[in-house]
Amino acid sequence: MSRIAVFGAGYVGLVTGACFAELGHEVVVRDVIPERIDQLRAGDVPIYEPGLDELLRRNAERLTYTLDVAEAVAGAEFLYVAVGTPPTYSGDADLSAVWTVVDELAALEGPAVLVMKSTVPVGTGARVRHRLDEHGLERVGYASNPEFTAEGTAIRDFQHPDRIVIGSFEAADGDAVEELHRGIEAPIVRSDVASAEMIKLAANAALMTRISFINEIANVCEATGADVVRVAEGVGLDRRIGSSFLRAGIGYGGSCFPKDSLALKQLAANSGYHFQLLNAVIEVNELQKRRVIGKLQQRLGSLRGKTVTLLGLAFKPNTDDVREAPSLVLAGRLVAEGATVRAWDPVADGAAALPRATICADPLEALDGADAAVLVTEWPQLAQLDWREAAGRMRTAVLIDGRNMLDPAELRAAGFTYDGIGRAAAT
Ligand SMILES: NC(=O)c1ccc[n+]([C@@H]2O[C@H](COP(=O)([O-])OP(=O)(O)OC[C@H]3O[C@@H](n4cnc5c(N)ncnc54)[C@H](O)[C@@H]3O)[C@@H](O)[C@H]2O)c1
């Protein structure tokens, strides 16, 4: 069993730490936010990820938390980097937290392998290798082990991944990282570091492309009277295509897709290549979020003075993550149009995300007196909602189902004027 230091106690760092501890490794998680470390030491989990609290509790004896780099790296054989890599103004990934970690490793005494889990532009590994050498840390190996888990299902995804990708400069470093994953059944893809970095960016780009593709098909469905839900079903059953990521909606968000698409676009541009398809994918997604405003205007006319309820704020269900969530763009556009925004989400911190909205603890309460509602996040609670009562509480029962979650016929029977995404008005 190995000793692993994980840098970053966020969504990826905590899941990685908990899952490695579950495999029997000794894990120390390091972060720079004192409250985060205090919370973890007290047995509280600073983020919402299903099953994470239980996993951390079960493996508490193999997990420690610290603010202190020296304590984190003492005796560590693996240094997992899971810090944030948000976009900069130029669209390039901001690697400052990664560089901070690399520079802090001067305190390291023994040999170790630095493993990059954060999503980084191609070429980052080579630059980190160079910087380690400059610090006299030639004895520290380097591997890229990108993360493919999705928030909401992160633990299952880590424990039962579709594949484990390991890129290294030296085969021995890759072998060590492979050995660390013993106990997880999955195909292992070994490659050079640049290819491992690109696999992560390309996989995300492929998923985003499918989302923007089906959203454009949805928009054409709306214009022609077809129903994208049936269309996606019929298309997705083709084994060459498959059904995942073929659900039309109001666009992707989250902490990964938007920033990683910008980073790949920028990476290509910096290398002199115009990534035309990815540019279109990004543009389609931006327009898709805004199309909801047009749908509301079709039903309500001017939005000035109207009240619109956003049902769900997180970028998808089973997470409290609102980074780049479509709800933020929608709320901003609604306020700009002169509307009042009410909102509900079961776990996201609505008051922090939307300071100008009225946040309600209950979806029915959020619908009180509203002129329209937008289903933004497909939380299961919304499938169970008493929509007849909801219609009665609203000033006008208009619903834009931004995720095609509900049955149009049932909603219409409950008294709603219902619009989905890519569904003909009568379906
Ligand atoms: N969230 C996801 O679902 C997901 C999936 C795949 C890949 N990724 C990638 O993984 C990386 C981390 O994402 P995340 O969502 O966990 O980010 P996050 O913002 O939730 O967590 C990052 C953590 O790193 C900490 N940190 C910053 N500087 C540090 C330092 N010098 N030492 C130690 N900790 C430091 C921050 O305080 C924060 O707690 C990103 O590159 C992201 O693109 C994320």
Side-chain angles (χ1 to χ4, degrees):
M1 288 301 143
S2 301
R3 186 171 163 82
I4 305 170
V6 177
F7 290 83
Y11 291 85
V12 170
L14 285 178
V15 169
T16 301
C19 290
F20 275 136
E22 174 89 349
L23 286 174
H25 302 294
E26 286 289 324
V27 177
V28 48
V29 180
R30 196 256 163 166
D31 206 288
V32 288
I33 304 176
E35 304 82 63
R36 226 159 230 231
I37 296 301
D38 289 346
Q39 264 183 295
L40 287 160
R41 283 178 176 156
D44 297 330
V45 185
I47 56 164
Y48 177 79
E49 178 62 43
L52 183 59
D53 49 355
E54 156 69 15
L55 199 61
L56 291 172
R57 210 174 314 120
R58 192 161 68 230
N59 295 287
E61 58 178 12
R62 283 183 296 282
L63 278 160
T64 47
Y65 308 98
T66 184
L67 289 166
D68 181 15
V69 184
E71 189 185 331
V73 301
E77 296 151 84
F78 295 89
L79 311 158
Y80 260 82
V81 179
V83 297
T85 49
T88 57
Y89 282 117
S90 64
D92 294 283
D94 178 356
L95 297 179
S96 53
V98 170
W99 294 124
T100 303
V101 173
V102 173
D103 292 343
E104 284 167 345
L105 296 182
L108 184 73
E109 280 172 359
V113 183
L114 190 157
V115 191
M116 188 59 68
K117 251 232 175 292
S118 296
T119 304
V120 294
V122 182
T124 303
R127 290 168 61 202
V128 172
R129 175 73 271 161
H130 185 69
R131 189 107 146 212
L132 288 169
D133 294 346
E134 278 179 349
H135 288 315
L137 292 171
E138 291 86 353
R139 65 181 182 283
V140 175
Y142 184 91
S144 165
N145 174 213
E147 185 51 68
F148 299 96
T149 58
E151 284 172 26
T153 53
I155 291 166
R156 189 200 64 201
D157 295 346
F158 192 101
Q159 295 178 333
H160 306 281
D162 291 341
R163 77 304 209 185
I164 297 167
V165 173
I166 302 169
S168 63
F169 297 112
E170 303 292 336
D173 295 331
D175 293 345
V177 176
E178 193 172 331
E179 181 61 24
L180 200 57
H181 288 82
R182 186 189 284 263
I184 298 179
E185 288 295 319
I188 296 195
V189 178
R190 292 285 296 268
S191 72
D192 57 284
V193 171
S195 300
E197 292 166 339
M198 186 53 110
I199 288 169
K200 173 62 193 171
L201 297 177
N204 272 358
L207 295 172
M208 288 179 265
T209 301
R210 287 176 69 98
I211 295 172
S212 281
F213 167 76
I214 200 65
N215 282 341
E216 288 222 282
I217 294 289
N219 299 343
V220 180
C221 284
E222 276 176 18
T224 55
D227 181 346
V228 75
V229 176
R230 292 283 85 77
V231 172
E233 184 188 348
V235 171
L237 282 168
D238 187 323
R239 242 171 298 176
R240 295 167 302 178
I241 299 172
S243 60
S244 59
F245 281 74
L246 271 193
R247 286 191 63 180
I250 52 174
Y252 59 76
S255 65
C256 289
F257 284 178
K259 87 171 169 62
D260 292 346
S261 57
L262 280 181
L264 180 53
K265 170 186 157 171
Q266 219 36 59
L267 177 73
N270 295 344
S271 325
Y273 184 73
H274 177 63
F275 199 148
Q276 209 166 328
L277 179 60
L278 190 57
N279 275 293
V281 166
I282 295 167
E283 194 183 335
V284 167
N285 195 59
E286 285 311 310
L287 294 173
Q288 197 68 13
K289 291 184 243 176
R290 288 160 173 79
R291 277 176 69 89
V292 173
I293 302 296
K295 285 176 187 283
L296 287 168
Q297 284 165 332
Q298 254 173 16
R299 295 296 181 188
L300 302 178
S302 166
L303 300 180
R304 181 158 302 280
K306 303 280 166 43
T307 298
V308 178
T309 299
L310 300 182
L311 295 171
L313 296 175
F315 83 95
K316 65 174 181 180
N318 294 320
T319 181
D320 59 350
D321 201 340
V322 294
R323 289 178 283 186
E324 301 286 335
S327 60
L328 305 183
V329 172
L330 269 176
R333 286 289 302 113
L334 286 168
V335 169
E337 293 292 331
T340 299
V341 178
R342 294 170 69 83
W344 162 84
D345 191 285
V347 293
D349 183 350
L354 300 182
R356 297 175 71 179
T358 303
I359 307 297
C360 302
D362 174 84
L364 286 173
E365 182 197 336
L367 291 165
D368 273 340
D371 295 284
V374 183
L375 192 158
V376 181
T377 314
E378 61 273 47
W379 282 106
Q381 291 89 324
L382 296 174
Q384 311 303 327
L385 200 70
D386 182 341
W387 287 100
R388 203 168 284 279
E389 185 182 347
R393 287 182 173 228
M394 294 174 71
R395 188 154 39 212
T396 46
V398 170
L399 178 74
I400 312 292
D401 182 355
R403 301 293 176 185
N404 289 340
M405 183 194 197
L406 305 171
D407 179 351
E410 274 178 31
L411 267 285
R412 290 189 181 118
F416 273 92
T417 303
Y418 172 96
D419 286 318
I421 306 293
R423 317 184 87 173
T427 59

